Amino acid sequence: MNWLEWVTGAAGFLLTVMVLSYLIGDNVFFRLAASIFIGVTAGYLAVLLIRHILWPFLIQPLIYEPWQTKLWLGIPLLLIFLLLISQFPRMIKLGRIPLAYLAGLSGGIAIIGAVFGTLLPQSMAVINVFDAWAWTESSSPLWREMLEGAVMLVGVIGILSYFYFGRKRNLQKEKQAEQRPAIFEAFSQVGQVFIGITLGSVFASLFSSALLALIDRIAFIGKFIMNLFRGF
Amino acid sequence: MAVLICPECGAENTPGDEYCWSCRRALTDVEPVNDAVQDEPLGGHLDELLNSEEDLPGLLHALRQDGNIDGEQGDAEDVQSGEFHDSLGQASSGQSGREEEIPEWLRRIRQRAKQEKDSIGEVTQKISAAQESLADEKRSSQHESYADWIERLHQDFSQEQVAKDSAEGAPTGKAGQLPQTEDPEWLAKILKVHGKSVEKQDLDSLSTERLGGNSLLQWLVDLESGKEKLEPLSEEEPPAAKQSGDAVGEGDQNERTVDGDTTQEIRIKKGTSVKPVLSISRKEQLEADLISATIVDETAPRAMRKFEKPGSPWVIRAAVTVILITALSLSLFSGASTSNLSGSLKPQHRALITWLEQLPAESRLLLVVDYHAGFEAEMALIAQPVLSKAVQASSEFVILSSTESGVLLVDRLLQDIDGFETLVVSNAGYFPASNFAAFGLGAGIDPSWRFVHAPDAVNGLPQGDFEGILVLSDSYDGAKTWIEQLYAQFSEVTINLITTAQAGPLLLPYYESHQLGGLVSGLSEARQMTAYLNVENSTSHLWEAYRTGVLMMIIVIVLGLFFMSDHEGQETDRSKGEKA
C-alpha cells in the first residue's frame, strides 16, 4: 500500500465506523460523518454544475459565440439575476418569475413523460393481457394466460376501488363520507391484499439492498484491517 | 333539530351516531339536545317568548328583535344591543363565575395561543383582532349607545302602550312615560327567572320602591351602573337554555344569516368591560371545534389507548449489532458459496442475454448512470456480468450521468472489466433527468420554427445513433424518469435496465409493457446471470453473507412479532385495568 491508499483507506475506515455507530444510537460521530458527506456532496455538486452546465451552455457561448447568440443568452442571464436578487426581502417577488418558469417546465416535462411514458404504455399492457389472439401464440399454456389475465383484472379493479375517493368531504357527516358504495367496498378489500403484497415485496427489496450495502462495508473494513496487518 | 353533543370535544353528531365523528368517542351515554337555538334565528316576538321559560339574555334579545320589527332600529343597533345583552349575561353570572362562562373550546384556544403565538391560526387571529379593534372603538361610545337604545326602547314601549290603551278606551298617561300602576307581566317573568319572584300585587311596590319608580328601564340603567345586581343563573337556568349553552358555548351565541351564509355571534367575555361582538361562520365554528378537539387530544386523558413505544436500551442494540456483524463477518470470510443455483432464468434475463448476444460488432452504446455511491457495491455486482459481455461487442460507450458522482462511479466500474482499455469512452456530461428532457423538448422543435442565431438545443443531447441503451439506476423514481424520457426520444432503440433490488419489483411492469428490452435487479438475479454468462465476479463470495443476513432478518421479525404481541397484551391488560 502506498501512502495515498493508506490515507484514503484510513479515512474510509473511520467514516464507515462512524456511520455504523448509529446502530447503537444517535451520536456525535454519526452526525459528524453525515455533515462531512453532505458538505462534500454540496461542494462537489457546485463544481459539477459549473463545469458541466454553466461553462458549456452559458459561459463558453458568451465568450466564443457571435453577438446575436449572446443576445439569446440574455434570457437565462436575466432569470439567474432575478433569482439572485430575490434573496433580498424587498425583491422576493421578482424571484417568482424564474421559479414559475422552472415549475412550468418541470410540470410540462413530468406530465408528458408520465402520460406517454407510463400511463398509456402501462394501460396498453394491461389491456393486451386480454388479447385472446396473443394467448394462442404464446408458448405458455392457455389456462395460465387466462389466469394471469384474471388476476390482473381483479388486481387493477381492486386497487382502483381502494383509492376511490369520489365523494365530497363533509365535515359534519364525516362518518357518512367514509362509507363508499358496497361494490367499491368489496373490491377495495381485494385491492388491499394486492397492495399488501406489493408493499411487502418492496420492503423485502429495500432490506436486500441495505443488507448488501452493510455486507460491502464489513468486507471493506475486514480488507482494510488485513492490509494493515500485512503492512506491518 | 336534535343533536348529540360530544362531551369530549363538543362536536355535533346526528342522533343515532354511536361514535363522535371528530374524536371517535362513544356516544351511547349522551342524551340528544335540541339544537333550535343554533339552527333557527332568534326572531320571535315578545309574546311568544313570554309564554315560554326563557332566560334573561334570551328575553332581552327578544326585546331587541321586537324593537327591530317596529322598524326603528338599524343594523348598528344589533351591536349595541348585543353588547348590552352581553353585559347582562356577565352580570347575571356574577363576578366569580366569569371564567366559567367562557366556552371550553375558546378557553383552550386562548390558552394555546398564549403558549404558541401562531398555533391556532385564523380563528384566533380574528378573535384577537376583533377584540382589539372593537374594544377601542366602542369603549368611548358605549354609554351613549346604551342610553340611546334604552331611550328608543322606552319610546317604543310607550307608543305600544298608548296604542293599546286607546284601543281599549282607557285613559293614557303622558307620552313617553310608563304607567306605574300597570307593570307588565313580562317584567314579573324576568324577576321570577332571576330569583326575584314576586307576586302580581307586589309589582306596584317594586315599580316604585325597588326600581326607583321608572320600571324596567330604570332597573336596566341601574344594572348598567352597577347599582343593581343579578343572582347567578347556574342552578335555576331553564333546561332549554342549558342545553343550548352546552352546545354552543354557554348560550352566549346567536345565529343569523348574512348574504346567504349562516354566521354566529359570539360575545367575547373578558374582564368587566363590555366586549365586542364577533361574527364567525359555521365553517369557522367547525374548524374551531376541530382545533379544540386537537387540543383535547394533547392534554386531556383519552379513552383511546396510547401506544408508548419503549426505547430499547443501548446495551441491547449494541448486543444485536455485534451479533449481526459477527455473523455476517464469519459467513463473509468463510469462503465462496458452493451451493448450486436453483431455478431457471426469468424472461427479462433471457431477453437481456439475447440482446447482448445479438449486439453487432463495433456497436455504440449509451450508458446512463443514475446510482449513488451508497449502492456502488450492489450495482457493481449486478452490472459487471452484463457490461463484460457488452464491452466485448462494443467499440464506444457514451456515458451520461444524472447523479453527481455518476461519472466517477462508472469509471471505477469499467476499470474492473476486461477489455476496457480498448473501449472508447465518451463523457456526455452531467444531466439531471429534467435537464435532459428539456433539451429533448427543444430538439423536437421544427427547424423552420427556430429563431435565427438561437442556441441549438440539440447540442445538449448525446449525438448519434445507438445500438442500445443501458440504464444503471438505484431507485425507482430515477429509473422511471429515464425510461419515460428515453422511450419518448429513442423509441427505436432497445432500453435495458440494471437496477438494485429495491427498485426491481416496481420496474418490472415496464418490461411487461415492452418498454424495456431486458431487466436485471438484485444479488440473486446477478448471481444467475453471472453463472449463465460464465463471468467471474464476487457474487459467490457475498452470497453466504447475504443468506445469513436474510436469515437473521427473519429471526428478528419473528422475535419482534412475539415481543410485540406480548407488549400489546400488556397494554390491553393495562387499559382494562384503567377502565375497571
Side-chain angles (χ1 to χ4, degrees), chain B residues 42 49 52-62 85 89 92 189-190 193-194 233 236-238 240-242 244-245 250-252:
Chain B
L42 291 176
L49 288 168
S52 63
E53 288 294 320
E54 290 292 337
D55 60 342
L56 179 60
L59 193 58
L60 290 174
H61 185 76
H85 173 111
S92 64
K189 284 263 185 184
I190 292 170
V193 166
H194 291 274
L233 270 172
E236 292 141 6
E237 193 175 10
K242 189 173 279 185
S244 62
E250 301 298 324
D252 200 7

Side-chain angles (χ1 to χ4, degrees), chain A:
Chain A
M1 289 176 74
N2 57 30
W3 67 271
L4 187 62
E5 287 175 341
W6 273 98
V7 171
T8 53
F13 173 77
L14 282 176
L15 287 171
T16 302
V17 172
M18 285 160 80
V19 171
L20 286 178
S21 69
Y22 189 74
L23 286 167
I24 58 172
D26 192 11
N27 58 73
V28 67
F29 297 109
F30 171 76
R31 275 177 269 165
L32 179 63
S35 300
I36 290 170
F37 283 130
I38 291 167
V40 169
T41 306
Y44 182 70
L45 181 61
V47 173
L48 203 68
L49 286 173
I50 290 169
R51 186 179 172 187
H52 287 278
I53 304 290
L54 292 179
W55 175 255
F57 298 123
L58 184 67
I59 299 169
Q60 215 170 17
L62 277 175
I63 296 170
Y64 300 111
E65 294 291 331
W67 65 271
Q68 296 95 332
T69 307
K70 288 177 185 174
L71 283 179
W72 282 102
L73 294 170
I75 297 171
L77 280 173
L78 177 65
L79 294 175
I80 291 170
F81 177 72
L82 291 175
L83 204 57
L84 284 174
I85 64 170
S86 69
Q87 302 305 309
F88 297 102
R90 288 186 179 180
M91 308 285 185
I92 198 163
K93 288 183 179 176
L94 293 174
R96 293 177 187 169
I97 297 168
L99 289 178
Y101 170 77
L102 284 176
L105 184 65
S106 304
I109 290 168
I111 289 170
I112 291 171
V115 171
F116 293 104
T118 296
L119 196 61
L120 292 179
Q122 295 297 315
S123 302
M124 287 303 296
V126 172
I127 294 166
N128 288 338
V129 173
F130 302 99
D131 184 3
W133 184 256
W135 292 353
T136 58
E137 291 186 336
S138 173
S139 56
S140 303
L142 182 62
W143 66 268
R144 190 173 166 180
E145 294 288 333
M146 292 178 73
L147 181 66
E148 189 181 343
V151 171
M152 181 85 82
L153 181 67
V154 172
V156 169
I157 292 174
I159 292 173
L160 288 177
S161 302
Y162 182 74
F163 289 106
Y164 169 75
F165 302 114
R167 294 185 64 176
K168 284 179 72 176
R169 289 189 72 205
N170 186 345
L171 285 174
Q172 266 199 302
K173 307 292 180 187
E174 192 74 17
K175 189 180 170 187
Q176 293 178 9
E178 288 174 2
Q179 293 173 348
R180 293 175 291 186
I183 188 156
F184 285 111
E185 282 292 333
F187 275 115
S188 70
Q189 299 292 325
V190 180
Q192 283 186 48
V193 176
F194 281 86
I195 291 170
I197 292 170
T198 305
L199 293 180
S201 166
V202 170
F203 169 74
S205 306
L206 280 171
F207 175 81
S208 175
S209 289
L211 178 64
L212 264 179
L214 177 64
I215 291 169
D216 174 64
R217 287 298 88 192
I218 292 171
F220 168 77
I221 290 172
K223 192 177 172 184
F224 177 77
I225 292 172
M226 280 194 285
N227 286 336
L228 200 65
F229 282 116
R230 279 178 197 159
F232 288 112

Side-chain angles (χ1 to χ4, degrees), chain B residues 259-273:
Chain B
D259 295 333
D261 186 21
T262 304
T263 63
Q264 292 175 326
E265 294 178 357
I266 296 178
R267 278 88 184 175
I268 311 298
K269 296 173 181 174
K270 184 181 177 184
T272 55
S273 61

Side-chain angles (χ1 to χ4, degrees), chain A residues 44 117-118 173 205-206 208, chain B residues 14 404 484 501-502 510 515 546:
Chain A
Y44 182 70
T118 296
K173 307 292 180 187
S205 306
L206 280 171
S208 175
Chain B
T14 52
E404 301 85 5
E484 288 173 351
Q502 65 176 355
Y510 288 96
Q515 289 173 272
Y546 179 76

